[in-house]
Amino acid sequence: DGHSYIASKIYNKDPDKLTAIERRTGKNVNFGFIFGAAEQKIDDTAGIPGLMSEVVRMFPSAHEFMRETKKMVRKDGYVFTPFGYKLQLPYAYGKPKEHAGVNYIVQGCEGDIVKNAMIMVSDYLKSDCIFKHCKIKPEEAYLTLQVHDELVFDFPQEKFEGQHIPALRQIVSLMEQAGEDIDMITPVDVEVTHTNWAETKSVSRNSIF
């Protein structure tokens, strides 16, 4: 959890002892840092003078990435995602928007990872492998919805207890592989519900693998 991590550094607390407001502050600082908020804005967000300088010190490679991206935008007017997709930058006052380049790469990379994960998982759910793994027919389990970086699946409830684990293990592995293909660590959390999305409960990774 990157937002809890930065908040724990800001407030000098263990991540599991943060309040919801403190984590939200960490989230605002992260997005402000990545997407071009002014130094004063970031300092004011957390109420900590000099915070921007401290964030730059903690994440020098991120700061260098942002600096090089802005140079690329000024020179070319476009950027590439890690998967090689070209993204043209919007212009303001006759110049390409520099911080939009950072946004495009970060958000575009996430979109590419999720898209590739959806393709691989969809192929798996339509194959005979899922039946071999847990006796679920391809038409009985399907990808229902994408919400940002979350994927929602439907499984037959009468076969869900225990028997679904091999399929769930494969789905998690495929989703994580989508990030590993470009040397990124993208751990997947799993939640399950038998009723509605608002009542999901976390599933221990140890119970899957």
Side-chain angles (χ1 to χ4, degrees):
D1 185 342
H3 302 320
S4 292
Y5 175 80
I6 192 67
S8 71
K9 297 298 183 182
I10 292 171
Y11 296 105
N12 194 27
K13 282 185 172 183
D14 291 336
D16 57 356
K17 293 182 180 179
L18 292 168
T19 67
I21 293 176
E22 289 169 341
R23 183 186 179 279
R24 190 178 306 118
T25 298
K27 181 177 181 179
N28 291 338
V29 169
N30 272 342
F31 285 136
F33 175 63
I34 295 172
F35 299 138
E39 181 173 347
Q40 188 64 50
K41 176 66 174 179
I42 290 181
D43 292 356
D44 291 344
T45 294
I48 302 175
L51 178 60
M52 178 62 171
S53 297
E54 180 63 15
V55 173
V56 170
R57 186 193 66 79
M58 287 192 293
F59 304 105
S61 59
H63 182 65
E64 179 64 14
F65 156 71
M66 293 163 59
R67 191 178 70 83
E68 290 299 317
T69 297
K70 284 186 272 186
K71 283 175 56 178
M72 185 191 309
V73 171
R74 287 195 297 269
K75 176 178 177 289
D76 302 323
Y78 56 82
V79 295
F80 290 94
T81 71
F83 286 90
Y85 290 98
K86 180 179 177 180
L87 301 174
Q88 194 73 40
L89 270 296
Y91 275 66
Y93 306 107
K95 296 181 180 179
K97 298 175 69 174
E98 294 179 7
H99 276 96
V102 177
N103 190 334
Y104 276 33
I105 292 175
V106 173
Q107 304 262 31
C109 178
E110 180 186 17
D112 291 346
I113 290 172
V114 174
K115 178 183 67 177
N116 289 344
M118 291 172 69
I119 291 171
M120 290 190 293
V121 171
S122 180
D123 288 344
Y124 168 69
L125 293 176
K126 295 174 183 177
S127 72
D128 293 334
C129 293
I130 191 169
F131 184 77
K132 295 175 182 177
H133 286 158
C134 53
K135 305 305 179 185
I136 294 177
K137 298 177 182 179
E139 66 270 14
E140 291 182 317
Y142 46 91
L143 172 59
T144 307
L145 191 66
Q146 176 208 1
V147 184
H148 301 298
D149 57 353
E150 297 187 23
L151 301 182
V152 181
F153 299 91
D154 272 319
F155 283 81
Q157 185 167 330
E158 67 275 10
K159 298 180 181 179
F160 200 79
E161 296 297 341
Q163 189 173 328
H164 69 293
I165 293 297
L168 195 55
R169 183 186 304 126
Q170 181 66 10
I171 289 172
V172 170
S173 296
L174 289 170
M175 291 179 67
E176 292 180 339
Q177 181 187 326
E180 292 168 359
D181 285 345
I182 54 168
D183 298 322
M184 294 191 69
I185 299 173
T186 52
V188 173
D189 295 326
V190 179
E191 295 180 328
V192 172
T193 180
H194 296 296
T195 52
N196 61 68
W197 200 6
E199 298 180 11
T200 56
K201 296 181 179 180
S202 295
V203 175
S204 167
R205 190 177 181 89
N206 291 335
S207 67
I208 299 174
F209 288 92

